[in-house]
Every structure is written in structure tokens, then in C-alpha cells.
């Protein structure tokens, strides 16, 4: 038995606060080009109310809230996903990062990653069409992500890591839609990952003719949380995945 009754106060959707919201996967996501589709609808919000599960009542006020949706025939054949909007000392910070193997036209596939940060009403997005995203994701318990944007008005580097003890926090295995087998136990996630994030703004160095980190402290300096969300899905998660 499940019953819920709560109100949501949005803080940011996907894009700068007060401006037109953007597509998580880029403007091509408006068309049937990629499979599956993914859109974050609320990168950060606060929820107040209650949830009843079986006989247990959970009441909460101004709890961090996040919402996204997927649609299409099935989830990717392999993917990782992380999210956190409950950082210590950084109340206006939310990060969403993920990557996977998705279908593209003419029967092809591609592996790609994305790291996006909403901070004080501003979106910092590291995606393949504006920079790069590197990932090292273990079979379970370690997500090490590095993003860089060197195109557009906001140039930055970001380092984002999630971790959990595989024995103490084995995560929850749950069902997901697949092409061949329908709904099967296909992914594992946790809402208790230790999370750190640092973000540096970039500036042009005329000597090296490269974008380098600005001198001084980072814009976001080692933000931490013990309530990070992290997930691996699909197959095969027998080895570390680097991309």
C-alpha cells in the first residue's frame, strides 16, 4: 500500500533560472533521432508533505526533490547515472551526470557522457557538442567523472565523484525496460553515495594558447554530500567502464 500527498516548490528546471528551459539532450531531442529520450524536468526543488508506505508514515519539509523522465522503446544497453542536490554548505547546487550507449540513425550506436551543474540559478553543461566528458565507472561503488566545456559563454572544468562501500551499501537492484526481455532486473542504484564536486572557471592563456583554470579558488570548492544518487544499468558490468 502506498499513498502520498506533498507539494513541490521548483528551484530550477533545466537551464538558467528565469529563462527559457532547454532540452537535456540538445535540440535534436525534439525529433525521433535518438533512442531512448531523456529530459530532466526539475534539476532542483523542495518537497513538503508525507508518504505512507505500508503502515509507515514519512513526513518531510523542504526535502531535496529531483524529477526526470525517459521515453522510447527501452533504456540504453549500458549506462551510468548520478545525481545530487543536497550538498553541505551549497544549498543552491545540483548536479546531474550520466552516460550510456544509445541508438542513432541507420542502425548505429554511440557511447557518450554528460555532466551538468545548476549553481545559483546558472546552468554549466559539459556535453559532447560543447566540450568533453570522461568517466571511470566500476562494476559497483565508484563513479569518477570529469567534464570540460571550452565553447560558449561559460567555460569550465568540473570533477565529480561518487562512491560507496559495496559490502555495506550494495544498492537496490530493480527492473527496467529492455528490448529483448521486457521489464527485467537490469540496473542497480543507491541514494547513499559519498559525493564530492569541484568546478573551475576557465580563461584563455595567450602563452599556451589554451583555456586554463582561473587562478584562485574554484567557483565550487569541494562540495560534499552523503546523499548522492548513483546507478549502473544494462550490461555487461563485469569490468570497469572507461570512456
Amino acid at each position: 500500500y502506498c499513498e502520498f500527498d506533498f507539494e513541490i516548490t521548483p528551484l530550477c528546471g533545466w537551464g538558467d533560472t528565469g529563462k527559457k528551459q532547454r532540452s537535456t539532450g540538445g535540440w535534436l531531442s525534439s525529433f525521433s533521432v535518438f533512442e531512448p529520450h531523456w529530459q530532466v524536468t526539475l534539476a532542483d526543488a523542495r518537497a513538503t508533505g508525507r508518504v505512507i508506505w505500508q503502515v509507515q508514515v514519512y513526513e518531510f519539509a523542504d526535502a531535496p526533490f529531483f524529477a526526470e523522465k525517459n521515453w522510447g522503446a527501452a533504456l540504453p544497453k549500458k549506462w551510468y547515472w548520478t545525481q545530487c542536490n543536497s550538498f553541505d554548505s551549497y544549498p543552491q547546487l545540483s548536479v546531474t551526470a550520466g552516460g550510456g550507449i544509445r541508438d542513432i540513425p541507420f542502425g548505429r550506436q554511440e557511447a557518450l557522457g554528460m555532466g551538468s551543474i545548476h549553481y545559483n540559478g546558472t546552468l554549466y553543461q559539459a556535453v559532447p557538442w560543447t566540450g568533453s566528458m570522461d568517466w571511470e565507472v566500476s562494476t559497483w561503488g565508484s563513479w569518477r567523472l570529469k567534464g570540460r566545456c571550452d565553447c560558449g559563454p561559460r567555460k569550465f572544468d568540473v570533477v565529480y565523484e561518487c562512491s560507496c562501500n559495496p559490502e555495506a551499501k550494495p544498492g537496490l537492484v530493480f527492473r527496467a525496460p529492455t528490448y529483448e526481455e521486457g521489464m527485467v532486473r537490469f540496473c542497480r542504484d543507491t541514494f547513499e553515495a559519498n559525493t564530492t564536486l569541484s568546478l573551475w572557471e576557465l580563461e584563455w592563456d595567450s602563452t599556451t594558447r589554451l583555456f586554463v583554470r582561473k587562478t584562485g579558488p574554484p567557483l565550487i570548492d569541494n562540495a560534499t554530500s552523503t546523499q548522492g544518487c548513483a546507478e549502473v544499468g544494462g550490461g555487461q558490468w563485469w569490468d570497469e567502464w572507461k570512456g
Side-chain angles (χ1 to χ4, degrees), residues 1-8 47-53 55-63:
Y1 177 81
C2 182
E3 176 184 324
F4 55 88
D5 181 10
F6 56 88
E7 295 181 349
I8 300 168
T48 298
R50 69 175 185 172
V51 173
I52 302 175
W53 173 249
V55 297
Q56 181 69 47
V57 179
Y58 300 91
E59 295 184 342
F60 45 90
D62 292 328

Side-chain angles (χ1 to χ4, degrees), residues 77-98:
K77 292 178 172 59
K78 183 176 181 178
W79 76 91
Y80 67 88
W81 171 88
T82 62
Q83 200 283 327
C84 186
N85 60 346
S86 56
F87 285 95
D88 305 326
S89 304
Y90 284 88
Q92 297 296 320
L93 173 60
S94 174
V95 57
T96 308

Side-chain angles (χ1 to χ4, degrees), residues 81 140 143 170-174 187-191 229-232:
W81 171 88
W140 180 252
W143 297 257
L172 173 70
V173 177
F174 61 97
C187 50
R188 180 191 302 267
D189 75 356
T190 179
F191 278 39
C229 308
E231 177 179 278
V232 296

Side-chain angles (χ1 to χ4, degrees), residues 14-236:
W14 192 261
D16 293 352
T17 300
K19 295 185 179 180
K20 183 178 179 180
Q21 297 299 282
R22 297 161 60 177
S23 172
T24 302
W27 66 272
L28 280 174
S29 296
S30 301
F31 305 95
S32 298
V33 177
F34 306 116
E35 185 74 25
H37 301 279
W38 177 37
Q39 179 66 40
V40 176
T41 55
L42 285 173
D44 199 10
R46 295 295 179 265
T48 298
R50 69 175 185 172
V51 173
I52 302 175
W53 173 249
Q54 304 295 13
V55 297
Q56 181 69 47
V57 179
Y58 300 91
E59 295 184 342
F60 45 90
D62 292 328
F65 184 90
F66 170 86
E68 65 175 29
K69 64 178 181 178
N70 297 103
W71 67 101
L75 288 179
K77 292 178 172 59
K78 183 176 181 178
W79 76 91
Y80 67 88
W81 171 88
T82 62
Q83 200 283 327
C84 186
N85 60 346
S86 56
F87 285 95
D88 305 326
S89 304
Y90 284 88
Q92 297 296 320
L93 173 60
S94 174
V95 57
T96 308
I101 301 174
R102 68 179 180 181
D103 290 342
I104 57 177
F106 308 110
R108 297 177 298 164
Q109 294 181 339
E110 66 175 356
L112 76 166
M114 179 208 74
S116 298
I117 300 94
H118 287 82
Y119 181 54
N120 287 339
T122 300
L123 173 62
Y124 298 84
Q125 193 169 25
V127 289
W129 51 93
T130 63
S132 62
M133 182 74 177
D134 300 328
W135 64 89
E136 296 181 15
V137 181
S138 68
T139 56
W140 180 252
S142 176
W143 297 257
R144 302 178 62 186
L145 315 175
K146 295 181 180 180
R148 181 178 177 88
C149 176
D150 52 17
C151 177
R154 295 167 193 157
K155 302 172 179 62
F156 67 93
D157 271 344
V158 62
V159 176
Y160 173 47
E161 296 187 4
C162 296
S163 65
C164 63
N165 185 318
E167 296 182 0
K169 297 178 181 178
L172 173 70
V173 177
F174 61 97
R175 291 181 176 87
T178 67
Y179 284 105
E180 293 84 6
E181 302 177 77
M183 291 290 288
V184 295
R185 298 190 183 279
F186 204 56
C187 50
R188 180 191 302 267
D189 75 356
T190 179
F191 278 39
E192 299 177 304
N194 296 317
T195 301
T196 61
L197 184 146
S198 293
L199 185 147
W200 297 263
E201 294 179 291
L202 300 179
E203 62 183 1
W204 181 253
D205 187 321
S206 57
T207 302
T208 62
R209 303 190 62 80
L210 296 171
F211 285 104
V212 297
R213 293 175 179 176
K214 284 187 177 181
T215 57
L219 181 64
I220 302 173
D221 191 0
N222 197 38
T224 60
S225 176
T226 58
Q227 300 181 63
C229 308
E231 177 179 278
V232 296
Q236 302 292 333

